[in-house]
Coordinates of all heavy atoms in Angstrom, one line a residue:
F1 N 170.2 46.7 129.7 CA 171.1 45.7 130.1 C 170.6 44.4 129.5 O 169.6 44.2 129.0 CB 171.0 45.6 131.7 CG 169.7 45.3 132.3 CD1 169.5 43.8 132.6 CD2 168.7 46.1 132.5 CE1 168.2 43.5 133.2 CE2 167.4 45.7 133.0 CZ 167.3 44.5 133.4
G2 N 171.5 43.4 129.7 CA 171.0 42.1 129.1 C 172.2 41.1 129.2 O 173.2 41.3 129.9
M3 N 172.0 39.9 128.6 CA 173.0 38.9 128.6 C 173.0 38.1 127.5 O 172.1 38.1 126.8 CB 172.8 38.0 129.9 CG 171.8 36.9 129.9 SD 171.7 36.0 131.3 CE 173.2 35.4 131.6
G4 N 174.1 37.3 127.2 CA 174.2 36.4 126.1 C 174.5 35.1 126.7 O 175.1 34.9 127.6
K5 N 173.8 34.1 126.0 CA 174.0 32.6 126.5 C 173.8 31.7 125.4 O 173.0 32.0 124.4 CB 173.1 32.4 127.7 CG 171.6 32.5 127.3 CD 170.6 32.1 128.5 CE 169.2 32.4 128.2 NZ 168.4 32.2 129.4
S6 N 174.5 30.5 125.5 CA 174.3 29.6 124.4 C 173.6 28.3 125.1 O 174.1 28.0 126.3 CB 175.6 29.1 123.8 OG 176.5 28.7 124.8
C7 N 172.6 27.8 124.6 CA 171.9 26.6 125.3 C 171.7 25.5 124.2 O 171.5 25.7 123.0 CB 170.5 27.1 125.7 SG 170.6 28.5 126.9
G8 N 171.6 24.3 124.8 CA 171.4 23.0 124.1 C 172.6 22.2 124.1 O 173.3 22.0 125.0
G9 N 172.7 21.5 123.0 CA 173.8 20.4 122.8 C 173.5 19.2 123.6 O 172.4 18.9 123.9
Q10 N 174.4 18.4 123.7 CA 174.2 16.9 124.4 C 173.7 17.0 125.8 O 172.9 16.3 126.1 CB 175.5 16.2 124.2 CG 176.1 15.8 122.9 CD 175.1 14.8 122.2 OE1 174.4 14.1 122.8 NE2 175.0 15.0 120.9
A11 N 174.1 18.0 126.6 CA 173.7 18.1 127.9 C 172.6 19.0 128.2 O 172.2 19.1 129.3 CB 175.0 18.6 128.7
S12 N 172.1 19.6 127.2 CA 170.9 20.5 127.3 C 171.1 21.6 128.5 O 170.3 21.7 129.3 CB 169.6 19.7 127.6 OG 169.3 19.0 126.4
R13 N 172.2 22.2 128.5 CA 172.6 23.3 129.5 C 172.9 24.6 128.7 O 173.1 24.6 127.4 CB 173.9 22.8 130.2 CG 173.8 21.6 131.0 CD 175.0 21.5 131.7 NE 174.8 20.6 133.0 CZ 175.8 20.0 133.6 NH1 177.1 20.4 133.3 NH2 175.5 19.3 134.7
C14 N 172.8 25.6 129.5 CA 173.2 26.9 128.9 C 174.6 27.4 129.6 O 174.9 27.1 130.7 CB 172.2 27.9 129.4 SG 170.5 27.8 128.7
G15 N 175.3 28.0 128.7 CA 176.7 28.5 129.2 C 176.9 29.9 128.6 O 176.1 30.5 127.9
G16 N 178.0 30.5 129.1 CA 178.3 31.9 128.8 C 179.0 31.9 127.4 O 179.3 31.0 126.7
I17 N 179.0 33.1 126.8 CA 179.6 33.4 125.5 C 180.6 34.6 125.6 O 180.5 35.3 126.6 CB 178.5 33.6 124.4 CG1 177.7 34.8 124.7 CG2 177.7 32.4 124.0 CD1 176.7 35.1 123.7
A18 N 181.5 34.6 124.7 CA 182.4 35.7 124.7 C 182.2 36.6 123.4 O 181.9 36.1 122.4 CB 184.0 35.2 124.6
G19 N 182.2 37.9 123.6 CA 182.1 38.8 122.4 C 181.8 40.2 123.0 O 182.2 40.4 124.1
A20 N 181.3 41.0 122.2 CA 181.1 42.4 122.6 C 179.7 42.9 122.0 O 179.2 42.2 120.9 CB 182.2 43.3 122.0
V21 N 179.0 43.8 122.7 CA 177.7 44.3 122.3 C 177.9 45.8 121.8 O 178.4 46.5 122.5 CB 176.7 44.1 123.4 CG1 175.3 44.7 122.8 CG2 176.5 42.7 123.7
F22 N 177.3 46.1 120.6 CA 177.5 47.4 120.0 C 176.0 48.0 120.0 O 175.1 47.3 119.6 CB 178.1 47.5 118.6 CG 179.3 47.0 118.5 CD1 179.7 45.6 118.6 CD2 180.5 47.9 118.5 CE1 181.1 45.1 118.5 CE2 181.8 47.4 118.5 CZ 182.1 46.0 118.5
A23 N 175.8 49.2 120.3 CA 174.5 50.0 120.3 C 174.6 50.8 119.2 O 175.5 51.7 119.0 CB 174.2 50.6 121.6
R24 N 173.6 50.7 118.1 CA 173.7 51.7 116.9 C 172.3 52.4 117.0 O 171.4 51.8 117.2 CB 173.6 50.7 115.7 CG 175.0 50.1 115.3 CD 175.0 49.3 114.1 NE 176.2 48.6 114.0 CZ 177.3 49.2 113.2 NH1 177.2 50.4 112.8 NH2 178.4 48.4 113.0
N25 N 172.5 53.7 116.8 CA 171.3 54.6 116.8 C 170.6 54.4 115.3 O 171.0 53.6 114.5 CB 171.7 56.1 116.9 CG 172.6 56.7 115.8 OD1 172.8 56.1 114.8 ND2 173.2 57.7 116.3
A26 N 169.5 55.2 115.2 CA 168.7 55.1 113.9 C 169.5 55.5 112.7 O 169.1 55.0 111.6 CB 167.4 55.9 114.1
R27 N 170.6 56.1 112.8 CA 171.4 56.5 111.6 C 172.5 55.3 111.4 O 173.3 55.5 110.5 CB 172.1 57.7 111.8 CG 171.3 58.9 111.9 CD 172.0 60.2 112.0 NE 171.1 61.2 112.2 CZ 171.3 62.1 113.2 NH1 172.3 62.1 114.1 NH2 170.4 63.2 113.4
G28 N 172.5 54.3 112.2 CA 173.5 53.3 112.0 C 174.9 53.6 112.6 O 175.7 52.8 112.5
Q29 N 175.0 54.6 113.4 CA 176.2 54.9 114.2 C 176.4 54.2 115.4 O 175.5 54.1 116.1 CB 176.3 56.5 114.4 CG 176.1 57.4 113.1 CD 175.9 58.8 113.6 OE1 175.0 59.1 114.4 NE2 176.7 59.7 112.9
V30 N 177.6 53.8 115.7 CA 177.8 53.1 116.9 C 178.0 54.2 118.0 O 178.8 55.0 117.9 CB 179.1 52.3 116.9 CG1 179.4 51.6 118.3 CG2 179.0 51.2 115.8
V31 N 177.0 54.1 119.0 CA 177.0 55.1 120.0 C 177.5 54.6 121.4 O 177.7 55.2 122.3 CB 175.6 55.7 120.3 CG1 175.2 56.5 119.0 CG2 174.6 54.7 120.5
A32 N 177.6 53.2 121.5 CA 178.2 52.6 122.7 C 178.6 51.1 122.5 O 178.2 50.5 121.4 CB 177.1 52.5 123.8
M33 N 179.6 50.6 123.2 CA 180.2 49.3 123.0 C 180.7 48.8 124.3 O 181.1 49.6 125.1 CB 181.3 49.4 122.0 CG 181.8 47.9 121.6 SD 183.1 47.2 122.8 CE 184.4 48.1 122.6
Q34 N 180.4 47.5 124.5 CA 180.9 47.0 125.7 C 181.2 45.4 125.6 O 180.4 44.8 124.9 CB 179.9 47.1 126.9 CG 180.4 46.5 128.3 CD 179.5 46.6 129.4 OE1 178.2 46.3 129.1 NE2 179.8 46.8 130.5
R35 N 182.1 45.2 126.0 CA 182.6 43.5 126.1 C 181.8 42.9 126.9 O 181.4 43.5 128.1 CB 184.0 43.4 126.3 CG 185.0 43.9 125.2 CD 186.4 43.6 125.3 NE 187.0 42.4 124.7 CZ 186.6 41.7 123.7 NH1 185.5 42.0 123.1 NH2 187.3 40.8 123.1
L36 N 181.3 41.6 126.7 CA 180.6 40.9 127.5 C 181.4 40.6 128.8 O 182.5 40.2 128.7 CB 180.1 39.5 127.0 CG 179.0 39.7 125.9 CD1 178.7 38.4 125.3 CD2 177.9 40.4 126.4
V37 N 180.9 40.8 130.0 CA 181.6 40.4 131.3 C 180.7 39.4 132.0 O 179.6 39.6 132.3 CB 181.7 41.7 132.1 CG1 182.5 41.4 133.5 CG2 182.7 42.6 131.4
N38 N 181.2 38.2 132.2 CA 180.3 37.1 132.6 C 179.0 37.0 131.8 O 178.0 36.8 132.4 CB 180.0 37.3 134.1 CG 181.3 37.2 135.0 OD1 182.2 36.4 134.8 ND2 181.3 38.1 136.1
S39 N 179.2 37.0 130.5 CA 178.1 37.1 129.6 C 176.9 38.1 129.6 O 175.9 38.0 129.3 CB 177.4 35.6 129.7 OG 178.3 34.6 129.4
R40 N 177.4 39.3 130.4 CA 176.4 40.3 130.7 C 177.0 41.6 130.1 O 178.2 41.8 129.8 CB 176.2 40.5 132.1 CG 175.5 39.3 132.7 CD 175.3 39.5 134.3 NE 174.8 38.3 134.9 CZ 173.5 37.8 134.9 NH1 172.6 38.6 134.2 NH2 173.2 36.8 135.4
Y41 N 176.0 42.5 129.8 CA 176.3 44.0 129.4 C 175.4 44.9 129.8 O 174.3 44.5 130.2 CB 176.5 44.0 127.7 CG 175.0 43.7 127.2 CD1 174.4 44.9 126.8 CD2 174.6 42.5 126.8 CE1 173.1 44.7 126.2 CE2 173.3 42.4 126.3 CZ 172.6 43.5 126.0 OH 171.4 43.4 125.4
S42 N 175.8 46.1 129.8 CA 174.9 47.2 130.3 C 175.3 48.5 129.6 O 176.4 48.8 129.5 CB 174.9 47.4 131.7 OG 173.9 48.3 132.2
F43 N 174.3 49.4 129.1 CA 174.4 50.6 128.6 C 173.6 51.6 129.3 O 172.4 51.4 129.7 CB 174.1 50.6 127.0 CG 175.0 49.8 126.2 CD1 174.3 48.8 125.5 CD2 176.3 49.9 126.1 CE1 175.1 48.0 124.6 CE2 177.0 49.1 125.2 CZ 176.4 48.1 124.6
L44 N 174.1 52.9 129.2 CA 173.2 54.1 129.6 C 173.0 54.8 128.2 O 174.0 55.2 127.7 CB 173.9 55.0 130.6 CG 173.9 54.5 132.0 CD1 174.7 55.4 132.9 CD2 172.5 54.3 132.6
L45 N 171.7 54.8 127.8 CA 171.6 55.4 126.4 C 170.5 56.5 126.5 O 169.6 56.4 127.4 CB 171.0 54.3 125.4 CG 172.0 53.1 125.2 CD1 171.2 52.0 124.4 CD2 173.2 53.7 124.3
A46 N 170.6 57.5 125.6 CA 169.4 58.4 125.6 C 168.2 57.8 125.0 O 168.3 56.8 124.4 CB 170.0 59.6 124.7
P47 N 167.1 58.4 125.3 CA 165.8 57.8 124.8 C 166.0 57.8 123.3 O 166.5 58.7 122.6 CB 164.8 58.8 125.3 CG 165.4 59.3 126.4 CD 166.8 59.6 126.3
G48 N 165.4 56.6 122.8 CA 165.5 56.5 121.3 C 165.3 55.0 120.9 O 165.3 54.0 121.8
R49 N 165.4 54.6 119.7 CA 165.4 53.2 119.1 C 166.9 52.8 118.7 O 167.6 53.7 118.0 CB 164.5 53.2 118.0 CG 164.3 51.7 117.4 CD 163.3 51.8 116.3 NE 162.7 50.5 115.9 CZ 161.8 50.1 116.7 NH1 161.1 50.8 117.4 NH2 161.3 48.7 116.3
Y50 N 167.3 51.7 119.2 CA 168.6 51.3 119.0 C 168.7 49.7 118.4 O 167.8 49.0 118.7 CB 169.4 51.3 120.2 CG 169.6 52.7 120.8 CD1 168.7 53.3 121.6 CD2 170.7 53.4 120.5 CE1 168.7 54.5 122.1 CE2 170.9 54.8 120.9 CZ 169.9 55.2 121.8 OH 170.0 56.6 122.3
T51 N 169.6 49.5 117.6 CA 169.9 48.1 117.2 C 171.1 47.7 118.0 O 172.1 48.4 117.9 CB 170.1 48.0 115.7 OG1 169.0 48.4 115.1 CG2 170.4 46.6 115.4
L52 N 170.9 46.6 118.7 CA 172.0 46.0 119.5 C 172.6 44.9 118.8 O 171.9 44.1 118.2 CB 171.6 45.6 121.0 CG 170.9 46.5 121.8 CD1 170.5 46.0 123.1 CD2 171.9 47.8 122.0
V53 N 173.9 45.0 118.6 CA 174.7 43.9 117.8 C 175.6 43.3 118.6 O 176.5 43.8 119.3 CB 175.3 44.5 116.6 CG1 176.0 43.4 115.7 CG2 174.4 45.4 115.7
L54 N 175.4 41.9 118.9 CA 176.4 41.0 119.6 C 177.1 40.5 118.6 O 176.8 39.7 117.7 CB 175.7 40.0 120.3 CG 176.4 38.7 120.9 CD1 177.4 39.4 121.9 CD2 175.5 37.7 121.6
R55 N 178.5 40.8 118.7 CA 179.5 40.1 117.9 C 180.3 39.2 118.7 O 181.0 39.5 119.7 CB 180.6 41.2 117.3 CG 179.9 42.1 116.2 CD 180.6 42.7 115.3 NE 180.0 43.5 114.4 CZ 180.4 44.7 114.0 NH1 181.6 45.2 114.5 NH2 179.8 45.3 113.2
F56 N 180.5 37.9 118.2 CA 181.2 36.7 118.9 C 182.6 37.0 118.7 O 183.0 37.3 117.5 CB 180.7 35.5 118.4 CG 179.2 35.3 118.5 CD1 178.3 35.2 117.4 CD2 178.6 35.0 119.8 CE1 177.0 35.1 117.5 CE2 177.2 35.0 119.9 CZ 176.5 35.0 118.8
E57 N 183.4 36.5 119.6 CA 184.8 36.5 119.4 C 185.3 35.6 118.3 O 186.3 36.0 117.5 CB 185.5 36.2 120.8 CG 185.6 37.2 121.7 CD 186.5 36.8 123.0 OE1 187.0 35.6 123.0 OE2 186.7 37.7 123.8
N58 N 184.6 34.6 118.0 CA 185.1 33.7 116.9 C 184.3 34.0 115.6 O 184.3 33.1 114.7 CB 184.7 32.2 117.4 CG 183.3 31.9 117.7 OD1 182.5 32.8 117.6 ND2 183.1 30.6 117.8
G59 N 183.7 35.2 115.4 CA 183.0 35.5 114.2 C 181.5 35.3 114.4 O 180.9 34.6 115.4
G60 N 180.7 35.9 113.6 CA 179.3 35.9 113.5 C 178.7 37.0 114.5 O 179.4 37.7 115.3
S61 N 177.4 37.1 114.3 CA 176.8 38.1 115.1 C 175.3 37.9 115.2 O 174.7 37.2 114.4 CB 177.0 39.6 114.5 OG 176.5 39.7 113.2
L62 N 174.7 38.5 116.1 CA 173.2 38.5 116.3 C 172.7 39.9 116.6 O 173.5 40.8 117.0 CB 172.8 37.7 117.5 CG 172.9 36.2 117.5 CD1 172.6 35.5 119.0 CD2 172.0 35.6 116.4
R63 N 171.5 40.3 116.2 CA 171.0 41.6 116.3 C 169.6 41.6 117.1 O 168.8 40.7 117.0 CB 170.6 42.2 114.9 CG 171.8 42.5 114.3 CD 171.5 43.0 112.8 NE 172.7 43.1 112.0 CZ 173.5 44.1 111.8 NH1 173.2 45.1 112.5 NH2 174.6 44.0 111.0
N64 N 169.3 42.5 118.0 CA 168.2 42.9 118.7 C 167.8 44.4 118.4 O 168.6 45.2 118.5 CB 168.2 42.5 120.0 CG 168.1 41.1 120.5 OD1 167.5 40.3 119.6 ND2 168.4 40.6 121.5
T65 N 166.4 44.7 118.5 CA 166.1 46.2 118.6 C 165.5 46.4 119.8 O 164.8 45.6 120.5 CB 165.1 46.3 117.4 OG1 165.6 46.0 116.1 CG2 164.6 47.8 117.4
V66 N 165.9 47.5 120.4 CA 165.4 48.0 121.7 C 165.0 49.4 121.7 O 165.6 50.3 120.9 CB 166.5 47.6 122.9 CG1 167.7 48.6 122.7 CG2 165.8 47.9 124.2
V67 N 164.0 49.8 122.4 CA 163.5 51.2 122.4 C 163.9 51.6 123.9 O 163.3 51.1 124.9 CB 162.0 51.4 122.3 CG1 161.6 52.8 122.5 CG2 161.6 51.0 120.9
A68 N 164.7 52.7 124.0 CA 165.1 53.2 125.4 C 164.2 54.3 125.6 O 164.0 55.2 124.9 CB 166.6 53.7 125.3
R69 N 163.6 54.2 126.9 CA 162.7 55.3 127.4 C 163.3 56.1 128.6 O 164.1 55.5 129.4 CB 161.3 54.8 127.7 CG 160.6 54.1 126.5 CD 159.3 53.7 126.8 NE 158.5 53.4 125.7 CZ 158.5 52.3 125.0 NH1 159.2 51.3 125.4 NH2 157.7 52.1 123.8
A70 N 163.0 57.3 128.8 CA 163.6 58.0 129.8 C 163.1 57.4 131.2 O 161.9 57.1 131.4 CB 163.1 59.5 129.8
H71 N 164.1 57.4 132.1 CA 163.8 56.9 133.5 C 163.3 55.4 133.5 O 162.6 55.2 134.5 CB 162.8 57.8 134.2 CG 163.3 59.3 134.1 ND1 164.4 59.7 134.6 CD2 162.7 60.4 133.4 CE1 164.5 61.1 134.3 NE2 163.5 61.5 133.5
Q72 N 163.5 54.6 132.5 CA 163.1 53.3 132.5 C 164.2 52.3 132.1 O 165.1 52.8 131.2 CB 161.9 52.9 131.6 CG 160.7 53.7 132.1 CD 159.5 53.5 131.1 OE1 159.6 52.6 130.1 NE2 158.4 54.0 131.4
S73 N 164.3 51.1 132.6 CA 165.3 50.1 132.2 C 164.6 49.3 131.1 O 163.6 49.0 131.0 CB 165.6 49.2 133.3 OG 166.3 50.0 134.2
S74 N 165.4 48.9 130.2 CA 165.0 48.0 129.1 C 166.0 46.9 129.1 O 167.1 47.0 129.3 CB 165.1 48.8 127.7 OG 164.2 49.9 127.6
K75 N 165.3 45.7 128.8 CA 166.2 44.4 128.8 C 166.3 43.8 127.5 O 165.2 43.7 126.8 CB 165.7 43.4 129.8 CG 166.7 42.3 130.0 CD 166.1 41.4 131.1 CE 167.1 40.2 131.2 NZ 166.7 39.3 132.3
S76 N 167.4 43.4 126.9 CA 167.5 42.7 125.7 C 168.4 41.6 126.0 O 169.8 41.8 126.0 CB 167.9 43.7 124.6 OG 168.0 43.0 123.4
D77 N 167.9 40.4 125.8 CA 168.9 39.1 126.1 C 169.2 38.6 124.5 O 168.4 38.7 123.7 CB 168.2 38.1 126.8 CG 168.3 38.4 128.4 OD1 169.0 39.4 128.8 OD2 167.4 38.0 129.0
F78 N 170.2 37.9 124.4 CA 170.6 37.3 123.3 C 170.8 35.7 123.6 O 171.4 35.4 124.5 CB 172.0 37.6 122.7 CG 172.0 39.1 122.1 CD1 172.4 40.1 122.9 CD2 171.7 39.3 120.8 CE1 172.4 41.5 122.5 CE2 171.9 40.7 120.3 CZ 172.1 41.7 121.1
S79 N 170.2 34.8 122.9 CA 170.2 33.4 123.1 C 170.7 32.7 121.9 O 170.1 33.0 120.7 CB 168.9 32.9 123.6 OG 168.6 33.3 124.8
I80 N 171.5 31.8 121.9 CA 172.0 31.1 120.8 C 171.6 29.5 121.0 O 172.0 28.8 122.0 CB 173.4 31.1 120.5 CG1 173.9 32.5 120.5 CG2 173.9 30.3 119.3 CD1 174.9 32.9 121.5
G81 N 170.9 28.9 120.2 CA 170.5 27.5 120.3 C 171.7 26.6 119.6 O 172.0 26.9 118.6
I82 N 172.0 25.6 120.4 CA 173.1 24.7 119.9 C 172.6 23.3 119.7 O 171.9 22.9 120.7 CB 174.3 24.6 120.9 CG1 175.0 26.1 121.0 CG2 175.4 23.6 120.4 CD1 176.0 26.0 122.0
L83 N 172.7 22.7 118.6 CA 172.2 21.3 118.5 C 173.2 20.3 118.8 O 174.4 20.3 118.8 CB 171.8 21.1 116.9 CG 170.8 22.2 116.3 CD1 170.6 21.9 114.9 CD2 169.4 22.0 117.1

């Protein structure tokens, strides 16, 4: 599970973002996808190493790597700094 947020700018606040998160396995195959809902996402994944890709609705993307373990939760947040 995790969330995406954008922080900074003139008001130095954090806000939500729009997009979708894709989970890719070690072979690069997309094994799960979820659109952000209130800037949050959640997957049930088999144990293993995954690359999570956040694709923004207006283009661009960010990547995080996460290791899923049996019977444990893993958290991976995406943050975007705005000047």
